[in-house]
């Protein structure tokens, strides 16, 4: 059985092939047939069988349309040739007078021009559509697929993993990349990103997908790969980047590897697990690969049940990588009586935590964010001594999830777009006393 041919988004359109030069004399000869007949035997064009001569100038146009894949134009021209043949037969049977050749000349020319013009316009529109599609799924700087394409491919691989296939992801982050931009300029920083993209292209299999996930982060989706294979792949990428001759000197990358586990109930959580491993690599000194392993669940944070029925005023810190979403969610919660404020991103939330000015009871955060995942943010806050009630906003998961990825072994999820009635109930049930740590 032959294998299917998969066209990449940047694959050339078959209609863009040039027309062979040897076809030009044949086409000109076919187009010249009626003209030669009009000059040498004008009376014959008015004969009962002269109508068939008008098929010859249509034939090159039909072949052109067929060659370039203009199906509509090819069908229209084939219909015209069939109509001429049937018309000629009708004239022979009925003895009716054939149309004047001047009229036929005008009709044939107009018909060819219209069909070819419409087909060429449709091809141009299709070319623009394909270009727009490539732009929508491709990072313009590196030429790699972008986050949207990576999430689409990962979602498909995640469904296969649920059916028993292996699936791993690797999340890369360039070490101290901000220092490169500050010391050498953004042009050199862009060159570093392109070098990282080149390393990913060289070492990534055709069945896998490497994408720029955001900023200096890159994500590789490895269907059918175990954690061991994914870790070896990440090591090859790390070594390739470290050995590249860059204008700014040696640039290294850290990587976090995560393999599908039943506890990771959505593709977002798989990325979050890789982010936790990446964070561990950064904490251990950078320029290394760490693999996420499912820790033993701890009973911490079960004091929720004892607080369910206590009436506390709830303050909420909203964290998302999209500032518009943060503000919109905070406004909606404020209208429902909560004290809600946007954080300005995960790193800004950490900064506010360290300043400890305004009390916060509940952290409402997105799961996957380019600079830091929601679970990693919660982990860093917990390491600083603050354990807020956490609700994750997710595009794939809803309800309570029990997994050792989260502090206390579980977390609540609300699905996007948000159901604010459901969210309000969760927030009131998650209130904690005001003795908790505070955030600016």
């Amino acid at each position: 059985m032959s294998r299917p041919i998969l066209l990449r988004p940047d694959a050339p359109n078959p209609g863009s092939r040039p027309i062979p030069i040897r076809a030009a004399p044949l086409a000109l000869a076919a187009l010249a047939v009626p003209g030669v007949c009009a000059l040498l035997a004008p009376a014959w064009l008015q004969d009962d069988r002269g109508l068939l001569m008008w098929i010859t100038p249509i034939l090159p146009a039909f072949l052109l349309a067929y060659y370039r894949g203009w199906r509509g134009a090819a069908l229209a021209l084939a219909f015209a040739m069939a109509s001429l043949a049937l018309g000629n037969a009708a004239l022979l049977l009925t003895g009716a007078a054939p149309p004047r050749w001047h009229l036929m000349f005008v009709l044939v020319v107009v018909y060819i021009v219209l069909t070819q013009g419409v087909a060429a316009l449709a091809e141009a529109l299709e070319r623009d559509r394909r270009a727009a599609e490539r732009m929508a799924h491709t990072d313009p700087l590196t030429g790699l697929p972008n986050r949207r394409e990576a999430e689409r491919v990962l979602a498909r691989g995640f469904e296969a993993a649920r059916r028993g296939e292996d699936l791993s992801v690797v999340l890369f982050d360039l070490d101290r990349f901000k220092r490169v931009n500050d010391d050498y300029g953004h042009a050199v920083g862009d060159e570093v990103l392109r070098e990282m993209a080149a390393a990913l292209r060289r070492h990534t299999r055709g069945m896998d997908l490497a994408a720029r996930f955001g900023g200096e982060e890159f994500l590789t989706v490895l269907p059918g790969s175990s954690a061991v294979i994914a870790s070896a792949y990440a090591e090859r990428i790390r070594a390739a980047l470290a050995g590249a001759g860059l204008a700014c000197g040696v640039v290294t990358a850290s990587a976090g590897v995560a393999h599908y586990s039943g506890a990771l109930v959505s593709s977002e959580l798989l990325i979050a697990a890789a982010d936790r491993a990446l964070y561990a690599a950064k904490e251990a000194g950078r320029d290394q690969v760490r693999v996420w392993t499912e820790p033993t669940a701890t009973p911490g944070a079960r004091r929720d049940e004892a607080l369910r029925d206590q009436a506390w005023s709830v303050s909420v810190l909203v964290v998302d990588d999209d500032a518009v979403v943060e503000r919109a969610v905070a406004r909606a919660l404020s209208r429902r009586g909560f004290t809600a404020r946007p954080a300005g991103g995960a790193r800004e939330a950490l900064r506010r935590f360290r300043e400890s000015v305004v009390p916060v009871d509940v952290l409402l955060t997105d799961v996957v964010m380019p600079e830091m995942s929601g679970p990693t943010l919660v982990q860093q806050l917990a390491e600083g001594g603050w354990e807020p009630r956490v609700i994750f906003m997710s595009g794939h998961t809803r309800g309570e999830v029990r997994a050792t990825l989260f502090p206390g072994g579980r977390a609540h999820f609300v699905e996007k777009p948000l159901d604010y009635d459901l969210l309000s109930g969760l927030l009131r049930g998650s209130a904690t006393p005001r003795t908790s740590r505070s955030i600016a």
Side-chain angles (χ1 to χ4, degrees), residues 83-157:
S83 298
L84 288 173
L86 292 174
N88 187 79
L91 290 178
L92 292 174
L93 291 175
T94 61
R100 299 179 63 183
W101 75 269
H102 304 84
L103 176 62
M104 286 301 302
F105 174 79
V106 173
L107 290 176
V108 169
V109 169
V110 170
Y111 194 81
I112 292 175
V113 170
L114 284 177
T115 54
Q116 301 295 86
V118 170
L121 177 60
E123 182 183 67
L125 292 175
E126 173 66 13
R127 189 164 52 247
D128 291 343
R129 185 195 67 80
R130 289 170 63 87
E133 187 176 88
R134 286 196 299 271
M135 292 177 63
H137 294 276
T138 305
D139 174 60
L141 176 64
T142 62
L144 293 176
N146 60 12
R147 176 176 175 175
R148 178 185 300 176
E149 179 69 4
E151 289 177 341
R152 184 187 69 82
V153 172
L154 178 58
R156 187 173 59 199

Side-chain angles (χ1 to χ4, degrees), residues 34 43 73 120 123 129 158 215 241 254 264 272 338 358 368 388 438:
E123 182 183 67
R129 185 195 67 80
F158 194 85
L241 181 65
S254 301
L264 305 175
F338 300 97
V358 180
V368 177
S438 301

Side-chain angles (χ1 to χ4, degrees), residues 172-188:
F172 297 94
D173 185 85
L174 300 181
D175 297 326
R176 298 185 175 89
F177 184 70
K178 185 178 183 300
R179 184 181 301 175
V180 173
N181 280 330
D182 292 343
D183 294 346
Y184 297 92
H186 288 279
V188 174

Side-chain angles (χ1 to χ4, degrees), residues 203-216:
H203 296 281
T204 304
R205 302 176 301 180
M207 63 181 292
D208 304 328
L209 179 114
R212 186 182 180 190
F213 202 60
E216 63 269 28

Side-chain angles (χ1 to χ4, degrees), residues 43-357:
W44 192 79
L45 279 179
Q46 294 298 121
D47 189 77
D48 291 342
R49 288 163 295 184
L51 201 61
L52 295 175
M53 287 296 101
W54 296 104
I55 294 178
T56 56
I58 298 178
L59 188 58
F62 166 77
L63 294 175
L64 172 65
Y66 182 81
Y67 183 81
R68 294 187 68 86
W70 300 342
R71 296 181 58 185
L75 287 173
L77 291 166
F79 175 78
M81 291 188 290
S83 298
L84 288 173
L86 292 174
N88 187 79
L91 290 178
L92 292 174
L93 291 175
T94 61
R100 299 179 63 183
W101 75 269
H102 304 84
L103 176 62
M104 286 301 302
F105 174 79
V106 173
L107 290 176
V108 169
V109 169
V110 170
Y111 194 81
I112 292 175
V113 170
L114 284 177
T115 54
Q116 301 295 86
V118 170
L121 177 60
E123 182 183 67
L125 292 175
E126 173 66 13
R127 189 164 52 247
D128 291 343
R129 185 195 67 80
R130 289 170 63 87
E133 187 176 88
R134 286 196 299 271
M135 292 177 63
H137 294 276
T138 305
D139 174 60
L141 176 64
T142 62
L144 293 176
N146 60 12
R147 176 176 175 175
R148 178 185 300 176
E149 179 69 4
E151 289 177 341
R152 184 187 69 82
V153 172
L154 178 58
R156 187 173 59 199
F158 194 85
E159 291 303 315
R162 282 176 166 171
R163 298 191 294 269
E165 297 185 15
D166 276 327
L167 174 66
S168 295
V169 297
V170 183
L171 192 61
F172 297 94
D173 185 85
L174 300 181
D175 297 326
R176 298 185 175 89
F177 184 70
K178 185 178 183 300
R179 184 181 301 175
V180 173
N181 280 330
D182 292 343
D183 294 346
Y184 297 92
H186 288 279
V188 174
D190 290 347
E191 187 59 34
V192 172
L193 293 173
R194 284 191 285 266
E195 181 61 35
M196 179 65 176
L200 289 168
R201 287 194 191 92
R202 288 195 303 270
H203 296 281
T204 304
R205 302 176 301 180
M207 63 181 292
D208 304 328
L209 179 114
R212 186 182 180 190
F213 202 60
E216 63 269 28
E217 285 190 339
F218 296 82
L219 177 74
T220 301
V221 182
L222 301 158
S225 295
S226 65
V228 174
I229 295 174
S231 180
Y233 161 81
E235 284 287 356
R236 289 195 298 271
I237 300 299
R238 185 199 62 76
L241 181 65
L246 297 169
C248 56
V250 176
V251 176
T252 61
S254 301
V257 177
H259 182 259
Y260 173 78
S261 163
L264 305 175
V265 297
S266 75
S267 56
E268 286 182 324
L269 300 185
L270 183 60
I271 296 176
D275 187 78
R276 293 283 290 273
L278 174 62
Y279 173 69
K282 293 280 191 182
E283 289 292 299
R286 299 181 175 87
D287 190 24
Q288 56 187 279
V289 177
R290 287 296 178 93
V291 180
W292 179 76
T293 54
E294 193 171 344
T296 303
T298 57
R302 296 212 173 194
R303 54 197 178 92
D304 275 2
E305 285 83 355
L307 299 169
R308 296 275 179 180
D309 299 326
Q310 299 185 37
W312 301 98
S313 176
V314 182
S315 62
V316 184
L317 184 68
V318 183
V319 183
D320 195 283
D321 58 325
D322 189 333
V324 175
V325 172
E326 279 190 343
R327 291 193 295 269
V329 173
R331 284 196 300 269
L333 292 177
S334 297
R335 288 195 294 267
R336 285 167 172 77
F338 300 97
T339 303
R341 62 183 63 82
R347 298 196 184 280
E348 181 63 17
L350 284 176
R351 187 192 66 80
R352 292 188 175 203
F353 160 73
R354 295 187 181 101
E355 291 182 0
S356 301
V357 177

